Every structure is written in structure tokens, then in C-alpha cells.
Amino acid sequence: MILGIGTDIVTIARIEQSIERFGDSFLQKILTPSEQAQMPTKNKKRQAEWVAGRFACKEACVKAFGTGFSGGIAPNQIEILRDEGKAPVMKLFAKAKEKADSLGVTHCFVSYAHEQKNAAIAFVTLVKQ
């Protein structure tokens, strides 16, 4: 049974500006340590695109919850990891996990894409099986 659906679109330039302005403090607020370890570091435009994709996923997730980032849920409590050639996997921690558990979520499905280096879009489906 589908418990929630969320979608979000993020302008890559906005993320790039936030990284330039706030640096590591912004990245730590948005990303988990495991995501930070996977993040590209050599190409700043590629890095912003990568972060924008993850941020869009996190926004889509809290929209699927029906809460937004409230009640103690923060972006770095939602993790999007992807191994080369495999689908992305969403993991939840702390208040985000508590919210999912309270809804009865057993699976989080996520899909995201980038468009011509301008925007990133994500779609999240929360399921109870």
C-alpha cells in the first residue's frame, strides 16, 4: 500500500551558491557522513549537481511524510546512497526514521534526475508491504 508520494525540483545554481557561501557547514547540514564520502570533490559544478539531486530527494521524502522539515526532521537524517550502476537507496535516521515508523513505512523508493546542469528533480514513494 502506498502511504505517501513526494516530488521536488531544485535549481542547481542555488545549491552551488550555498556551497560557495557556507562551505562545509552547509554540506554537513544537508548530507550524512556517508553521503559526504561519496560526494565528488574535484569539479565544483558536478558537486553542486550531485548535492542538488540528494537535496531534492530529501525534500521529496518529507513531502511524502506530509510534514516538510519540521518536528525535528532534518535533511541529514535522510540518506541517499548509490553504487555505480545500481538504483539509489534511501535510509532514514533519528526523527525521520521515527516518522516513517509511525506511518508504518516498510520501503522508501526514490528516483532522481538532472536536467542539462540546470535542475535536479526527485520522486519518492513511501510503501507499507
Side-chain angles (χ1 to χ4, degrees):
M1 169 193 326
I2 293 176
L3 299 174
I5 296 171
T7 189
D8 194 61
I9 188 166
V10 174
T11 305
I12 294 169
R14 185 178 121 224
I15 297 297
E16 190 171 28
Q17 290 167 354
S18 294
I19 292 171
E20 287 174 7
R21 184 171 180 195
F22 301 109
D24 286 342
S25 65
F26 173 74
L27 296 173
Q28 290 169 3
K29 183 177 177 181
I30 302 301
L31 303 173
T32 68
S34 294
E35 288 172 320
Q36 291 174 51
Q38 281 193 352
M39 179 180 60
T41 56
K42 294 181 181 178
N43 180 319
K44 292 295 181 183
K45 185 67 174 176
R46 173 71 181 112
Q47 183 182 60
E49 179 182 306
W50 190 93
V51 173
R54 269 67 185 171
F55 189 70
C57 292
K58 295 164 190 249
E59 284 276 5
C61 179
V62 295
K63 288 176 180 178
F65 285 161
T67 62
F69 288 114
S70 66
I73 299 172
N76 62 8
Q77 297 173 5
I78 302 166
E79 182 175 80
I80 313 299
L81 296 178
R82 184 174 178 268
D83 290 331
E84 192 66 34
K86 294 187 179 179
V89 175
M90 178 180 284
K91 292 182 184 176
L92 305 173
F93 304 96
K95 294 288 185 182
K97 173 95 168 86
E98 289 175 22
K99 181 61 180 177
D101 290 347
S102 75
L103 294 171
V105 174
T106 58
H107 291 78
C108 301
F109 295 98
V110 61
S111 180
Y112 63 96
H114 308 97
E115 186 276 323
Q116 296 181 8
K117 308 237 185 257
N118 294 317
I121 189 167
F123 188 82
V124 170
T125 305
L126 305 177
V127 175
K128 178 179 183 176
Q129 291 185 329

Short mmCIF file of all heavy atoms in Angstrom, two decimals, residues 19 31 53 64 70 74-75 79 102 120 122:
data_model
loop_
_atom_site.label_atom_id
_atom_site.label_comp_id
_atom_site.label_asym_id
_atom_site.label_seq_id
_atom_site.Cartn_x
_atom_site.Cartn_y
_atom_site.Cartn_z
N ILE A 19 26.86 26.31 -1.44
CA ILE A 19 28.14 25.66 -1.17
C ILE A 19 29.25 26.70 -1.14
O ILE A 19 30.11 26.69 -0.24
CB ILE A 19 28.44 24.56 -2.21
CG1 ILE A 19 27.45 23.39 -2.06
CG2 ILE A 19 29.88 24.06 -2.08
CD1 ILE A 19 27.52 22.37 -3.18
N LEU A 31 23.96 16.82 4.26
CA LEU A 31 24.39 15.45 3.94
C LEU A 31 24.80 14.65 5.17
O LEU A 31 25.31 15.20 6.14
CB LEU A 31 25.59 15.50 2.99
CG LEU A 31 25.39 16.26 1.67
CD1 LEU A 31 26.72 16.37 0.93
CD2 LEU A 31 24.33 15.59 0.82
N GLY A 53 20.74 16.89 -6.38
CA GLY A 53 19.97 15.65 -6.53
C GLY A 53 19.60 15.05 -5.19
O GLY A 53 18.44 14.65 -4.97
N ALA A 64 6.45 13.51 1.14
CA ALA A 64 5.72 12.24 1.22
C ALA A 64 5.28 11.96 2.66
O ALA A 64 4.21 11.40 2.88
CB ALA A 64 6.59 11.10 0.69
N SER A 70 10.06 19.63 9.62
CA SER A 70 9.53 20.13 10.88
C SER A 70 9.54 18.99 11.89
O SER A 70 9.85 17.85 11.54
CB SER A 70 8.10 20.66 10.69
OG SER A 70 7.22 19.60 10.35
N ALA A 74 15.45 16.68 9.93
CA ALA A 74 16.47 17.49 9.25
C ALA A 74 16.97 16.75 8.01
O ALA A 74 16.91 15.51 7.95
CB ALA A 74 17.64 17.77 10.19
N PRO A 75 17.49 17.48 7.03
CA PRO A 75 17.98 16.84 5.80
C PRO A 75 19.05 15.76 6.05
O PRO A 75 19.06 14.74 5.36
CB PRO A 75 18.57 18.01 5.00
CG PRO A 75 17.85 19.21 5.49
CD PRO A 75 17.58 18.95 6.94
N GLU A 79 19.25 9.78 4.08
CA GLU A 79 20.47 9.46 3.33
C GLU A 79 20.13 8.81 1.99
O GLU A 79 19.31 7.90 1.94
CB GLU A 79 21.32 8.51 4.18
CG GLU A 79 22.63 8.11 3.55
CD GLU A 79 23.43 7.28 4.52
OE1 GLU A 79 23.15 6.06 4.64
OE2 GLU A 79 24.32 7.85 5.18
N SER A 102 6.21 5.60 12.45
CA SER A 102 4.86 5.93 12.93
C SER A 102 3.82 5.83 11.81
O SER A 102 2.65 5.57 12.08
CB SER A 102 4.83 7.34 13.55
OG SER A 102 4.88 8.34 12.55
N ALA A 120 17.64 19.65 -10.68
CA ALA A 120 17.55 18.25 -10.26
C ALA A 120 16.12 18.02 -9.78
O ALA A 120 15.52 18.90 -9.15
CB ALA A 120 18.54 17.96 -9.13
N ALA A 122 13.34 14.98 -8.06
CA ALA A 122 13.26 13.71 -7.35
C ALA A 122 11.81 13.33 -7.10
O ALA A 122 10.93 14.19 -7.00
CB ALA A 122 14.01 13.80 -6.03
#
